[in-house]
Amino acid sequence: MSKQPKYEQVADALRREIDNGTYGPGSRLPSEAELATRFDASRNTVRAGLKLLVSQGLVTSSQGLGYEVSKHEVFELNASRFENLTFPQNGDAFSTDVTNAGRHPHQTFRVELTTTPEYVATRLKVETGSRSVLRFCHRFVDNVPWSTQATHYPDWLLAEAPRLAEPGDIAEGTTRYLASVDIEQIGYRDEISTRMPTPEEARLLEVGAGVPVMLWTRTGYSHDRPIRCTITTLRGDLNRMNYEIGDLSGRDGDESE
Amino acid sequence: MSKQPKYEQVADALRREIDNGTYGPGSRLPSEAELATRFDASRNTVRAGLKLLVSQGLVTSSQGLGYEVSKHEVFELNASRFENLTFPQNGDAFSTDVTNAGRHPHQTFRVELTTTPEYVATRLKVETGSRSVLRFCHRFVDNVPWSTQATHYPDWLLAEAPRLAEPGDIAEGTTRYLASVDIEQIGYRDEISTRMPTPEEARLLEVGAGVPVMLWTRTGYSHDRPIRCTITTLRGDLNRMNYEIGDLSGRDGDESE
DNA sequence: CGCGCGAACATGTACCAACAAGTTGACCGA
DNA sequence: TCGGTCAACTTGTTGGTACATGTTCGCGCG
C-alpha cells in the first residue's frame, strides 16, 4: 500500500493538517528536523514534501524562520462596472478603492517613450517597431506589492493629447483628459490569462514559488480605433476579478428586503 | 560576482536558451548527466535548476524520457458575447467552438443531487446544507484534459424544471430548457481567480507542477434571484478569457476596410 | 542599562551514493 | 518476419554529509 513516495505522504499529511486547522493561516509548521523524526524520513525527503506544498502555494518558507501557512486575503476588482468604462483604473480609482477598504495604498509612477512590444502593437493596430508612450505604475497595498500596470498609448494619439507623454500624474485622470480633447473611450476588450511569474515579475511582486500571476490586458477603443492598451500583472493569491453583465436586479435580494 | 546559487545559474542559462530558441517548444533538453558535466555541477544541483524551470511552467519532465520544452497553444474563451448570455457554455456550445477550431472535442457528463457547498450556497442565496442539483462535466480537446465544469441548480428550481435532475444531456441546452418553463437568465456575474491546482485538480486536468488553474465562477440570475452557479476549472496554460464591453465598432477596422 | 557578540536553531546550497522505475532500441531466437 | 528479452539510457526516490546563511535571544561585557 505504500506505493506512494514518502515525500508525498509527508506533503499529504501536512496538507490535511493545514486543511483541518491543525495549522491555521499564519502559523508555523514544525521544523524540518522535527518533521524528519516524526515521519522517520531524512531531512531531504521532508524538504521534498515541503517543497511540494510551497509550489502549491499552501506554505511559504524563509531562511532562519521556518515554514509558515499562507493566508490569502482576496481583493476584489470590479472590472465591468460603468465607472471603469469612463474612468478605467486610473491611479486615483486605485487609491480610492483601497482606502475605502480600510487599507493603505501606495504607488510609484513612471512615463517612458518606448518602441511598442509586439503583443501591444497587435492590439493597438500599429506597426511593430513604432513608438508609443508607456505609463507604468507599481502598486502596493499596506506596503505589500500588489500589481504592476503598463499602459501604452499609440504615438498618433500624442498629436491630440500631448500631455500623455509628460512625466507625472495627470490629475483629472487620463480618460477624462482624453475626453477633454474629444477622444472618448466607448468600449474595451479584456483578456485574462494566468501563468507562473517570470523572475522579473517575481521580483517586482515579491511572490515566491507557488503563486501564479494573473495577466489582465485591456484594450480601449474610441469610435474608430484602439487608443490604449493596458497590461496589468496581478498577484494571483491576492486578487479576484469580477464582471457583471446583463441585468442583475435579482442579485442583492437579501439586502434590499 | 558568483553570489547567485549555482542551480539558479543553471536555470537562468537554460531559460535564456529556451527564450532565444536554442531549445524550441517541444524539443528535448540535454539529460541531467550531460548538464551536470556542462555546468560542472552535481546531478542534484542540476535537478534543482531544472525543477525551477518546471515550477515556472517552462519545461516538463517525464521519467525515462527527459525534459521537454513546453508548448502553449491558447484557446480563447469569449465570455461576454451575447450568445453566452442566452446559451452559456452548454456542452453543445463547447463542441461547436472546438470543432470550429479544427480540434476534436470530447466530454464526460454526470448529474448528482448534493448538499450545496458553502461557496455555491452563498452565491445562490440558499442555506448552507440545503440540496442542489450538480451537473458536472469533464472536457477534453484532442484527448487532452481541458477543463471541468460544475453547475449547481438550487432545489427550489426543480419544482419548475424537473428535467435538470435527470441524468444525461438536455438536448436543447439547459438555458433554453429553463426559458421554456419561463425562467430566463437575464444577467450574470463572473468571478475569476487563479491559484495552483489541488492534487485532485491536477489529476483531473493532468497538469504537472508549474501550471496554475484558472477558476471561473458564473452566477446566473433570473429577474428576481440567482438560478445557477457554474464553477469552471481551466488549465491556465491552455486558456485565455475575453470580455468585450461597450461599443467595439472600431475593433476590426483593418478587416472591414 | 544597553550594546554586541555568539550560541542555538532555522532553512539554503551543494555534493555524494545507491537503487527504483519508465523508455527505447538493438539483438537474438523461433 | 515477428516477438520477446535485455542492455543502456532516462528521470524518480531516498538516504547521507557538510557547510553557508538568516533569525532570535540571552548572556556578559563595557
Side-chain angles (χ1 to χ4, degrees), chain B residues 5-7 41-45 63-65:
Chain B
K6 198 184 275 190
Y7 75 95
S42 73
R43 189 183 153 215
N44 279 347
T45 302
Q63 192 171 356
L65 285 176

Side-chain angles (χ1 to χ4, degrees), chain B residues 94-116:
Chain B
F94 169 75
S95 300
T96 308
D97 279 1
V98 173
T99 305
N100 285 345
R103 313 288 289 276
H104 174 68
H106 166 64
Q107 52 186 328
T108 66
F109 189 72
R110 163 179 115 228
V111 178
E112 286 178 34
L113 193 61
T114 60
T115 61
T116 316

Side-chain angles (χ1 to χ4, degrees), chain B residues 59 154 181:
Chain B
V59 303
V181 295

Side-chain angles (χ1 to χ4, degrees), chain A residues 51 55 196-197 199 202 208-210, chain B residues 4-12 14-15 44-59 67 209-210:
Chain A
K51 195 159 200 168
S55 77
M196 297 313 286
Chain B
Q4 197 189 26
K6 198 184 275 190
Y7 75 95
E8 276 186 20
Q9 296 175 25
V10 172
D12 286 346
L14 291 174
R15 197 195 342 270
N44 279 347
T45 302
V46 169
R47 278 178 69 81
L50 287 165
K51 195 160 201 167
L52 252 188
L53 297 182
V54 170
S55 77
Q56 290 167 352
L58 280 172
V59 303
Y67 291 80

Side-chain angles (χ1 to χ4, degrees), chain A residues 92-113:
Chain A
D92 210 39
F94 168 77
S95 300
T96 308
D97 281 0
V98 172
T99 305
N100 285 345
R103 315 287 288 277
H104 174 68
H106 167 61
Q107 53 187 326
T108 66
F109 188 73
R110 163 180 116 232
V111 178
E112 287 177 33
L113 193 61

Side-chain angles (χ1 to χ4, degrees), chain A:
Chain A
M1 270 313 125
S2 65
K3 294 277 291 289
Q4 197 188 25
K6 197 183 273 190
Y7 74 95
E8 277 187 20
Q9 296 175 26
V10 172
D12 287 347
L14 291 173
R15 194 191 350 265
R16 272 194 304 275
E17 294 177 352
I18 290 170
D19 286 343
N20 75 19
T22 307
Y23 302 110
S27 67
R28 259 191 54 191
L29 257 44
S31 73
E32 293 175 350
E34 288 175 73
L35 292 172
T37 305
R38 168 179 162 194
F39 290 105
D40 187 32
S42 73
R43 189 183 156 217
N44 279 345
T45 302
V46 170
R47 277 177 70 80
L50 287 165
K51 195 159 200 168
L52 251 187
L53 297 182
V54 170
S55 77
Q56 290 167 352
L58 281 171
V59 305
T60 59
S61 70
S62 28
Q63 193 172 356
L65 285 176
Y67 290 82
E68 184 174 310
V69 180
S70 307
K71 38 187 176 214
H72 356 268
E73 300 175 76
V74 177
F75 188 77
E76 308 272 344
L77 285 170
N78 291 298
S80 66
R81 289 213 303 243
F82 187 69
E83 304 91 272
N84 294 80
L85 180 55
T86 34
F87 309 116
Q89 288 307 104
N90 55 37
D92 210 39
F94 168 77
S95 300
T96 308
D97 281 0
V98 172
T99 305
N100 285 345
R103 315 287 288 277
H104 174 68
H106 167 61
Q107 53 187 326
T108 66
F109 188 73
R110 163 180 116 232
V111 178
E112 287 177 33
L113 193 61
T114 60
T115 61
T116 316
E118 188 183 336
Y119 179 88
V120 175
T122 309
R123 281 153 183 78
L124 287 179
K125 302 213 178 296
V126 298
E127 285 181 21
T128 18
S130 72
R131 299 186 76 73
S132 60
V133 172
L134 165 63
R135 299 177 72 88
F136 185 87
C137 200
H138 192 183
R139 290 176 174 158
F140 303 77
V141 174
D142 291 342
N143 289 317
V144 176
W146 212 260
S147 62
T148 66
Q149 189 172 75
T151 301
H152 291 261
Y153 297 89
D155 56 358
W156 62 260
L157 195 58
L158 296 183
E160 306 175 58
R163 279 178 59 203
L164 286 178
E166 289 172 16
D169 233 357
I170 293 183
E172 70 268 35
T174 51
T175 306
R176 217 178 306 204
Y177 167 58
L178 283 174
S180 77
V181 295
D182 269 336
I183 295 179
E184 199 149 1
Q185 178 169 315
I186 60 172
Y188 55 82
R189 179 169 195 267
D190 280 7
E191 301 166 73
I192 301 168
S193 62
T194 182
R195 58 168 166 73
M196 297 313 286
T198 63
E200 168 74 2
E201 289 166 346
R203 192 177 58 77
L204 284 175
L205 296 176
E206 287 175 26
V207 291
V211 176
V213 293
M214 198 185 297
L215 295 176
W216 173 26
T217 303
R218 169 165 292 186
T219 309
Y221 296 85
S222 71
H223 69 100
D224 63 347
R225 52 181 167 176
I227 54 173
R228 70 164 77 180
C229 181
T230 302
I231 301 173
T232 308
T233 306
L234 301 152
R235 279 183 58 157
D237 57 342
L238 300 177
N239 291 279
R240 181 161 64 201
M241 300 203 52
N242 298 318
Y243 285 86
E244 297 177 354
I245 292 179
D247 181 356
L248 266 70
S249 56
R251 176 188 43 165
D252 290 327
D254 54 352
E255 290 177 31
S256 60
E257 282 168 26

Side-chain angles (χ1 to χ4, degrees), chain B residues 157-228:
Chain B
L157 195 57
L158 296 183
E160 304 175 60
R163 279 178 60 202
L164 284 178
E166 289 172 18
D169 234 356
I170 292 182
E172 70 269 34
T174 51
T175 307
R176 216 179 305 204
Y177 167 59
L178 284 173
S180 76
V181 295
D182 269 336
I183 295 178
E184 200 150 1
Q185 177 168 316
I186 60 172
Y188 56 81
R189 179 169 194 268
D190 280 7
E191 300 167 73
I192 301 167
S193 63
T194 182
R195 57 169 167 72
M196 296 314 284
T198 64
E200 169 74 1
E201 290 166 344
R203 192 177 58 77
L204 284 175
L205 297 177
E206 287 175 26
V207 289
V211 177
V213 294
M214 198 185 297
L215 295 175
W216 172 28
T217 303
R218 168 164 293 186
T219 310
Y221 296 84
S222 71
H223 70 100
D224 62 348
R225 51 180 166 176
I227 54 174
R228 71 163 90 195

